[in-house]
Every structure is written in structure tokens, then in C-alpha cells.
Amino acid sequence: MINFGVIGTGQFASYFIAALRRGGYDGNVLLSPRNADVASTLAHNHACVVAASADEVLAGADVVLLSVRPEHAEVALANLHWERRHTVLSAMAGIRLDDLRTLLPGVGGIHLIMPGSYIEIAPGPIPLYPPAPGLMPLLSCAGDVVALPNEAAFNAAMVSLCASTWIYDLAHALAAELERHGLEPDAARALTLGNIAGPASFALGVPETSLLDISAGIATERTFTKTGLDHLKARHFDTPWREAIARLAEMLKLPADDSGATVSICGRCDGM
């Protein structure tokens, strides 16, 4: 059984540990003591142990999650006693693999990881680079590992994670419009979210079928579905989404914004 440690006990660590426990991981989890309130809650809710120091985490762990905010990484990781037996999972967006190798001398393996916050409730994709077959027994407890071939692909996966959050705003707009046309708020929310989750689950179950083919098979001539879809396509509904993705993809090529501060991916995620 893998002994799991965490340095940077914040929101990311909270939902990742919750996902591991939900998926059946029952090994030891050692937490760094910084952010004592979160560490105490995790210890109580998910059978974790709060270590006396980050070095004590390293002494007891084989795999170590780093979820320190990127701008604090250099200070937080300085002078720690890494060994070849340690494998690191970095959730610190914007810190490249080459930079991590400099920050973590002596570590046996370093991997980039960035699942969505929703995995504490439901399994989801876990982008991982480089691939690591030895980590599958651990990571598969939290979700479905998507092993990526290079760091550029990993950065694109982080853009996909951002887009998953945009869905909440889209769902809110759709539900609000349904309310305007007669649905009660609870029903509008349930129908909207269910009709997003359902098609996604269906498409995941038929990976050999293109998404456009699935749509075309449903939105056939003289259906209400096609009438609405034709209107959206005529208005080039995908254009702002493509533009937003392109903007973030460009940002992820840079380690910092113009002010020199590391750019985060999302507010709930310590390294994102």
C-alpha cells in the first residue's frame, strides 16, 4: 500500500483526499501542519494524520502531493530532505517540470497532475504527465487517469479544466431562461444539470462515435432540437468559447503575468 503525503494542505488537498477516500484508498495520509484548520478537518473527516513538519511528511510518505500556491513554492520547499524513493505529484499550475526538478533535488520521480474540484463528489478525468503506471492503483481511486504525452498536452488539459467551470455559468443562464418560461427554480436547475450530465455520460460510453455524429443523429430535420441548434450555429455560438480557450492556452505558455506574479487557474485550487 502506498503511503501518501501532502505538502500544502488547502482546498486542492481537501478535494483530492476526499476523492481518494471515496474511491477506496485506505492507506496512510500524512498532512503538513501548515493551514492547521484544514489539516484538522481532513484528519477528522478522512482519517489523516497531521505531521509535526513537512520533513516528517517526507519521512513517512512514498508519494507526496505538492499543492502549495506557486508563488510560495520556492520558500515552502526549501531545505526539505527529499530521497530517491519519493514520487512527487505537483498540482502547482505554472511551475514547469524542469523548474520542479531544480526545486526538488534528489526526488525519484515528478509528475504533473490537475483534476477538477468536483472529483470529491464524482469521478472525473485526472490529467497526468509524465505517465506513471505505478501510480495507477492510487490515482484510479480518485478518477480516470488521462496520461498525456508531453507538457504542452498537459497545459491544454488545464484549459479543459477551466472550461468545465464555465459550464456552471452556462447552466445558470439556461436554467434562468427556463424559469422565465414557467419552470420552478429547483426543477429548472435539476433539468438543466441532468441534461448536461446525461449527454456527457452517453458520449463517454461511445468513444468510437464522434460528438458531431451523435448530435446529428438526434437533431434531425423538422425537430425542435435542430431548430434551436441551427439558430445557435448561425450565431457562431462556439466562437467566444474558442477565443477563451486560445487566450488561456497562450497564458499557460508563460510562467508569470506582466506583474511577475504566477497566474492561477481557479480560486478553489491552491496551485491553480
Side-chain angles (χ1 to χ4, degrees), residues 171-223:
H172 171 79
L174 295 175
E177 191 64 16
L178 292 174
E179 287 179 44
R180 199 171 72 83
H181 289 277
L183 280 177
E184 293 297 319
D186 288 350
R189 176 188 170 103
L191 285 165
T192 299
L193 293 175
N195 285 324
I196 290 172
S201 295
F202 177 82
L204 286 169
V206 288
E208 72 284 354
T209 306
S210 80
L211 298 178
L212 289 179
D213 284 346
I214 294 173
S215 176
I218 300 168
T220 55
E221 292 298 330
R222 298 185 180 181
T223 60

Side-chain angles (χ1 to χ4, degrees), residues 157-172:
M158 288 201 291
V159 176
S160 174
L161 176 59
C162 294
S164 74
T165 298
W166 305 341
I167 297 296
Y168 294 118
D169 290 72
L170 175 61
H172 171 79

Side-chain angles (χ1 to χ4, degrees), residues 237-258:
F237 74 98
D238 58 327
T239 297
W241 289 75
R242 291 176 182 270
E243 291 171 347
I245 287 170
R247 181 177 182 183
L248 294 191
E250 286 300 312
M251 290 174 66
L252 280 166
K253 292 178 182 178
L254 303 173
D257 64 15
D258 291 338

Side-chain angles (χ1 to χ4, degrees), residues 113 124-128 131-132 135-136 138-148:
I113 187 173
I126 300 178
L128 176 72
L135 291 174
M136 291 300 293
L138 173 72
L139 296 179
S140 61
C141 290
D144 303 314
V145 177
V146 180
L148 298 167

Side-chain angles (χ1 to χ4, degrees), residues 67-182:
S67 52
V68 178
R69 290 195 67 86
E71 63 268 29
H72 301 149
E74 188 171 355
V75 172
L77 301 177
N79 303 316
L80 295 182
H81 297 92
W82 298 97
E83 300 177 27
R84 293 292 298 173
R85 65 182 180 82
H86 289 131
T87 298
V88 166
L89 298 174
S90 173
M92 301 184 296
I95 301 185
R96 294 179 172 87
L97 202 56
D98 284 344
D99 297 326
L100 285 167
R101 293 188 181 105
T102 300
L103 286 172
L104 308 170
V107 167
I110 304 173
H111 303 269
L112 306 179
I113 187 173
M114 197 59 73
S117 59
Y118 56 83
I119 65 168
E120 66 181 289
I121 300 297
I126 300 178
L128 176 72
Y129 174 73
L135 291 174
M136 291 300 293
L138 173 72
L139 296 179
S140 61
C141 290
D144 303 314
V145 177
V146 180
L148 298 167
N150 53 57
E151 204 157 347
F154 182 82
N155 286 341
M158 288 201 291
V159 176
S160 174
L161 176 59
C162 294
S164 74
T165 298
W166 305 341
I167 297 296
Y168 294 118
D169 290 72
L170 175 61
H172 171 79
L174 295 175
E177 191 64 16
L178 292 174
E179 287 179 44
R180 199 171 72 83
H181 289 277

